[in-house]
Amino acid sequence: MLRRDFLLRISAGVSAALGAALPIGAVGAEGATAIARGRFRDADFMHRGTGNAVVYRRPDGSRFLRFENFKVTAGPDLHVVLVRHPDPDSAAQVRQGNPVYLGMLKAVEGTQEYEIPAAIRLADFGSVVVYCKIFDVLFAPAALVGVGG
């Protein structure tokens, strides 16, 4: 176990130095552990997104979503949403099955964090997306891998 922790910490340091998302199981800043991750992709030729979405669990059990090396096309009324679909390609798929709105997008570029409510069972959600609520348009989805609870 000690060797695994050591290797995960080295991996985390290398990933951070290279600007990449931490691998699942790696311990990051403030003792938070990466428990799921995904990579943003373009929704279409006009609505583009890049970067990583990483879900972290803090030692106290609380969870948060961090966008790293993130960039998305600017738009009005952009929200960060957990969706049930494993890799949505339409606004209709975003709206299916009671999506969870984590908040307004804080910026179209850069690192940002969003708290995940304790009552949310992450295993029920396959993706995180940037979604324009007012015009019902998907901007950038990221399928989450490693989602547990």
Side-chain angles (χ1 to χ4, degrees), residues 65 67 79-83 94 99-103 127-131:
L65 172 68
F67 292 176
H79 293 260
V80 176
V81 186
L82 287 173
V83 300
V94 170
V100 174
Y101 289 81
L102 298 180
S127 300
V128 61
V129 302
V130 176
Y131 169 73

Side-chain angles (χ1 to χ4, degrees), residues 108-133:
V108 295
E109 190 171 344
T111 300
Q112 47 201 283
E113 295 180 357
Y114 302 87
E115 292 297 316
I116 299 174
I120 298 303
R121 184 174 179 268
L122 279 177
D124 293 340
F125 296 89
S127 300
V128 61
V129 302
V130 176
Y131 169 73
C132 176
K133 196 171 181 180

Side-chain angles (χ1 to χ4, degrees), residues 19-109:
L22 292 175
I24 295 169
V27 177
E30 301 168 18
T33 303
I35 59 172
R37 64 179 292 172
R39 184 174 260 325
F40 283 101
R41 66 173 176 80
D42 301 343
D44 57 42
F45 72 96
M46 287 181 53
H47 306 102
R48 305 170 71 82
T50 61
N52 300 303
V54 185
V55 177
Y56 290 93
R57 178 179 288 123
R58 294 182 185 99
D60 67 4
S62 64
R63 298 160 304 171
F64 65 97
L65 172 68
R66 177 183 288 157
F67 292 176
E68 300 171 346
N69 302 310
F70 175 72
K71 188 172 185 178
V72 69
T73 305
D77 199 32
L78 296 181
H79 293 260
V80 176
V81 186
L82 287 173
V83 300
R84 295 183 190 277
H85 195 280
D87 193 20
D89 59 11
S90 70
Q93 291 173 332
V94 170
R95 293 189 314 272
Q96 289 175 347
N98 299 321
V100 174
Y101 289 81
L102 298 180
M104 295 283 297
L105 185 70
K106 296 176 182 178
V108 295
E109 190 171 344

